[in-house]
Amino acid sequence: MSHKIITILKNKVSKKIWNNWFSTFSIKEINEEKAIFAVENLFIKDWLQTKYGSLIAKSIKEATGKSLKFEIRYEKESDPSVEPDNHQKGPLVKRKPLMISKLNPEYTFESFVSGAENRAICAVSRQIAEMPGRYNPFFIYGGVGLGKTHILQAIAHKAMEVNPDCRVLYITSEQFLNDMIESIKKGSVKDFRELYRKKADVLLIDDIQFLIGKDGVQTELFHTFNELHDAGKQIVICSDRNPNELDGFHERMISRFQMGMVMEIAAPEKDTRYEIAKRLARREAYDLSDDITTMFAENIRGNIRRLRGAIIKLILYSSIYNKDSDISLAQKVLASYVPSITVSKRKDELEMIITTIENLLDVERKKIFGKSRKKNVVLARQVLIYILKNDFGRSITEIGKLINRTHSTVIHSLKKIEKSISSNEDPSLSNIVNTVVEKVMAASAAS
Ligand code: ADP
Ligand code: MG
């Protein structure tokens, strides 16, 4: 028997949505306080609550005339994965290497620089790639940009290299969630489970913290995990935090994570950073001197993405200004990555920028810092703001203080100049900017 609430609700959504999400949605109970519904899938329960909660509430109101609270309960379905497995009976199909998601070809053990700090984690990772199931699961955690994804994919590459029959599946947990949603929409949950629970010999899941608080998908993952683990298949998981800090994760899931080997990836030490910088430059055929490499390795710690960013910026600037391995250029680049680079250097630099603008545009500095709206003064002010932000890495707050303007005024000017430069509205503007930057660089190189 279909209740009025269900009929009303059904009229509010398309047939497709109804079939995808509400096919098992039923009324369990209605009392003075609330309406209780049931669905057969934990994930759908979460989804209905977040996506269709207000629609459900509205339908209850329309049907009963009361603003009742509601609750959706999960009633266990029969798990299709425990159905007898027919696949065993079919002819033996030759196993093909299974690479579902694209791997970054550069993320290999060979390209991963490891100092003493990460020697152990590398050794364990290699052993796992060579002998999947050895430490199971393997849980790697640590800060952003320390190489977790790199290592995870290196295991994937190596496992396939060692044993081409090994079926390796690398995914982010977000992808796992999306695949699951997709399979529910398409009515292909069975295939989804077949893929994750049966086909992979090595399952690598990146950024598991994404699933915090997402109950339905955690349950799915829990069953996937158990099935693979029971079959001796290797599971490798990455996270930005230790398993016991995964608040909002089911206890039973956390204890599974802790069952095998848990290791923290360490921030690279100076020598490691040096080697990474050197290799990157070599790859770009750029001649990075030892001095500059040391300077970068000493100053840019932690997140390797920043170190890579800085080196690439240096290479780019070197080609623009035609200066190979120029120490002052390197300092400029570094300054934008390390705000605390020596204060006196930054003062000199600032002084040089202002003087250059004063001379080149023939505007006095007190006018630049003043309130004048005269065209040439505004231009000088804008060039100063733009260069400070864009070429010398000063923060918006810092620039605002310097020229005595609010944060939003600075942002507004920046946007205007950026737009004008990129659309080439005023060709003289980018000329002026380039000339000032070049003059400042030349002056500081000479000093
Ligand atoms: P995470 O997943 O921990 O946030 P990634 O694996 O994405 O970090 O690493 C960020 C970038 O730094 C990648 O380009 C990666 O190749 C590089 N990287 C990190 N650590 C190292 C290392 N030890 N040697 C070489 N490259 C590294
Ligand atoms: Mg990552």
Side-chain angles (χ1 to χ4, degrees), residues 107 143-150 170 172 206-207 209 238 305:
Y107 289 178
V144 175
L146 300 188
K148 298 185 295 298
T149 298
H150 190 135
Y170 164 89
T172 64
D206 208 345
D207 289 327
Q209 73 278 356
C238 270
R305 265 183 218 114

Side-chain angles (χ1 to χ4, degrees), residues 171-184:
I171 41 146
T172 64
S173 69
E174 186 177 6
Q175 233 171 307
F176 184 80
L177 171 67
N178 291 341
D179 272 11
M180 181 175 154
I181 296 173
E182 200 56 29
S183 77
I184 292 171

Side-chain angles (χ1 to χ4, degrees), residues 130-156:
E130 278 156 20
M131 200 192 283
R134 180 155 189 177
Y135 306 103
N136 208 7
F138 181 34
F139 192 102
I140 303 171
Y141 71 94
V144 175
L146 300 188
K148 298 185 295 298
T149 298
H150 190 135
I151 289 201
L152 215 57
Q153 297 203 7
I155 296 176

